[in-house]
Amino acid sequence: GVRYITRSDNKGFKAGNLRNAMEQTGGDFIVICDADTRVFPSFLENTLGYFRDPEVAWVQTPQWFFDLPEGTRLPDFLARLPGGRYAAACGRALEKVVGPITWGEDPFANDPQLFYDVIQRRRNAHNASFCCGAGSVHRRDAVMRVALKAYVAGVKKKARNLADAVDDPRARREVAHGLERLVAAETELTPYRFHVSEDLYTSIYLHGDRDSSWRSVFHPQVESKMLSPQDLQSWTVQRFKYAGGTLDIAFRDNPLFRSGLSLAQRLLYGATFWAYLGALWNIVFLTAPIVYLLTGIAPVSAYTAEFFLHILPFLVLNELAMMVGTWGISGYKGKVTYLAFFPVNLRALWTAIRGKPIKFPTTPKTRQEGSFFHLVVPQAAVIVLTLAGLVFAATHYSLGYRTFELSGIIANAVWGITNCLAMWRLVQSAFWKPQPEPTSNLTEALA
């Protein structure tokens, strides 16, 4: 009874595929999967129960990329060293404080667990968990109701705009009413918005429907597995699409100014957009220690005892707050991605500001051949300039020049090395290659 539905064009891309299938089917629920999604047998058993609540519009499940190296946990790594029993115990104690530490894991510093288990799951309390596409289940009635309302509102608005040339108010209303049928015939009904981030866009529309009070649910258990990009170029394509699509919504149809959303929903959607603006201040954060170490120009008036008495408690308390908020999950990969991702976010921001369309490229899930170092030149430049600045500042200070203060060198050295470690995580991914799959004895014999 399963049908495979195709179409002759690719209009609207994924959203167009969904609309085409919805026109030819009649089921109450829609499961969205990407081509590389493998759902578990428990998927529907563990998600459809939420729809007993008639106001639940969709359920999102976590996305798990199973084809990246899992790495070795710190205690296991330390156990291989001399005195490994005690070293492993120290490693376990450290992980109790800072979260899991793994060597040789995912080279692209993806952090789906932090996003899904912390950010998305905490949004359930405010009905602000948004759809991420693959691995989600949707109530057809909810999607169609909101789409029809948007369709009718769009038709009326366009008809009114066309009738604005009529001076007489009464005649203008009559002309607009008469044009509505013509406009309706030329306007397409799109259950899912034709947009590169159609999942986020649809979430905003459903949450903003004042008449129905649709709810979203983030289901915490993994119910499917997916493939990850296998090279830095494919990873960059995917991340640019995420960033560009989100920023395009922020500039063109920002939910902060959309009626129907609660204050909590506005703030949480706003936080999503705000995160992608981080590239602007990350440039300052990355270049400030470089400027000091090369010129002696400090980002603060003086590195005095009073300065450290203020900054150190702030940094410690900030880390403790993050530790409590993400208990059991390491937040380091999230920080690395946030810092090292600045060139792609800047390009996405510039594209969105200029109003350029964000393209719909399919993310390759097989390794693309070639050199990808050109994609991390900005990150490599940060590392080189920081290390060069450290050598320059230390040499000048040792020779007795008064350009630098010892406290300033120490503070910016710690700051700069932290930045270098974050940049290096992405730089090394440009050269990463997945391990070849083991060849069976039969295949070897045939070869």
Side-chain angles (χ1 to χ4, degrees):
V2 175
R3 285 195 297 146
Y4 184 73
I5 301 172
T6 62
R7 56 186 178 134
S8 58
D9 59 36
N10 201 27
K11 185 175 181 180
F13 298 91
K14 184 175 179 179
N17 290 336
L18 290 167
R19 183 184 69 175
N20 179 60
M22 289 176 72
E23 290 173 349
Q24 302 180 53
T25 57
D28 293 332
F29 301 102
I30 302 163
V31 178
I32 297 183
C33 298
D34 286 343
D36 61 315
T37 305
R38 281 189 166 183
V39 296
F40 299 159
S42 60
F43 185 89
L44 292 177
E45 293 177 3
N46 293 339
T47 56
L48 285 181
Y50 293 108
F51 292 98
R52 289 174 178 151
D53 180 345
E55 292 186 344
V56 170
W58 79 88
V59 176
Q60 177 68 54
T61 66
Q63 296 179 353
W64 172 48
F65 304 106
F66 73 97
D67 58 336
L68 288 169
E70 297 181 0
T72 305
R73 289 285 291 273
L74 179 61
D76 298 329
F77 176 80
L78 294 176
R80 302 170 186 170
L81 303 177
R85 178 181 177 184
Y86 302 103
C90 293
R92 285 191 292 271
L94 181 61
E95 285 194 336
K96 290 287 186 182
V97 178
V98 302
I101 302 173
T102 310
W103 301 101
E105 62 174 339
D106 175 9
F108 306 114
N110 294 299
D111 205 5
Q113 191 178 15
L114 181 63
F115 173 70
Y116 288 109
D117 284 2
V118 178
I119 297 175
Q120 280 278 63
R121 193 170 182 179
R122 302 306 190 270
R123 294 186 178 205
N124 271 342
H126 306 285
N127 189 26
S129 171
F130 57 83
C131 176
C132 301
S136 60
V137 190
H138 299 235
R139 188 189 298 271
R140 176 192 290 264
D141 183 52
V143 175
M144 289 304 299
R145 280 195 200 181
V146 172
L148 286 168
K149 288 180 182 178
Y151 172 80
V152 171
V155 166
K156 290 184 176 180
K157 182 179 180 179
K158 190 172 182 180
R160 286 196 303 269
N161 291 339
L162 291 172
D164 280 346
V166 179
D167 294 329
D168 181 72
R170 182 176 179 180
R172 188 187 309 131
R173 287 193 296 271
E174 293 177 355
V175 170
H177 184 70
L179 287 171
E180 286 179 4
R181 182 171 295 181
L182 295 174
V183 173
E186 297 177 354
T187 303
E188 293 182 297
L189 173 63
T190 54
Y192 293 90
R193 294 295 298 269
F194 285 7
H195 192 270
V196 68
S197 295
E198 86 289 330
D199 41 16
L200 178 61
Y201 225 144
T202 301
S203 302
I204 294 170
Y205 268 78
L206 284 163
H207 278 147
D209 184 8
R210 290 176 292 181
D211 299 326
S212 301
S213 301
W214 295 116
R215 291 182 54 242
S216 61
V217 174
F218 175 73
H219 173 74
Q221 278 77 43
V222 173
E223 301 291 349
S224 62
K225 60 182 182 180
M226 305 174 189
L227 296 175
S228 169
Q230 294 290 300
D231 59 83
L232 186 60
Q233 179 171 295
S234 302
W235 183 85
T236 302
V237 167
Q238 184 186 70
R239 295 294 165 157
F240 176 79
K241 186 166 60 174
Y242 293 164
T246 304
L247 289 168
D248 183 73
I249 295 174
F251 289 128
R252 312 287 166 234
D253 196 2
N254 197 314
L256 290 175
F257 310 108
R258 174 179 289 276
S259 61
L261 294 172
S262 67
L263 177 60
Q265 288 172 329
R266 293 175 195 269
L267 291 174
L268 290 169
Y269 275 117
T272 301
F273 302 139
W274 181 261
Y276 283 108
L277 299 177
L280 296 174
W281 42 88
N282 280 345
I283 293 176
V284 178
F285 189 82
L286 293 169
T287 56
I290 296 174
V291 171
Y292 177 80
L293 293 170
L294 290 176
T295 67
I297 300 174
V300 295
S301 58
Y303 288 104
T304 61
E306 185 179 3
F307 167 75
F308 288 106
L309 285 173
H310 283 81
I311 191 66
L312 290 177
F314 166 76
L315 294 175
V316 171
L317 290 173
N318 188 59
E319 287 301 313
L320 288 174
M322 287 294 295
M323 188 187 302
V324 172
T326 63
W327 193 260
I329 299 173
S330 175
Y332 180 70
K333 287 189 291 184
K335 296 172 186 175
V336 167
T337 305
Y338 186 69
L339 267 180
F341 198 46
F342 75 95
V344 178
N345 273 356
L346 278 177
R347 185 159 60 91
L349 180 60
W350 181 235
T351 302
I353 289 174
R354 291 183 297 160
K356 298 290 185 180
I358 309 297
K359 297 181 180 179
F360 289 74
T362 301
T363 306
K365 298 300 168 61
T366 56
R367 178 172 172 78
Q368 307 300 296
E369 296 301 326
S371 172
F372 305 114
F373 179 72
H374 65 282
L375 298 173
V376 291
V377 169
Q379 292 90 338
V382 170
I383 295 174
V384 171
L385 290 173
T386 302
L387 296 179
L390 279 170
V391 173
F392 180 80
T395 302
H396 267 235
Y397 184 81
S398 65
L399 293 175
Y401 291 99
R402 294 291 180 261
T403 309
F404 303 95
E405 301 175 14
L406 180 59
S407 58
I409 293 176
I410 294 173
N412 283 276
V414 174
W415 184 354
I417 290 172
T418 302
N419 291 344
C420 288
L421 291 173
M423 298 301 106
W424 175 247
R425 185 67 183 268
L426 200 58
V427 169
Q428 66 178 352
S429 70
F431 306 98
W432 177 80
K433 292 184 179 181
Q435 293 293 326
E437 295 183 4
T439 308
S440 67
N441 294 332
L442 177 60
T443 305
E444 290 177 352
L446 291 172

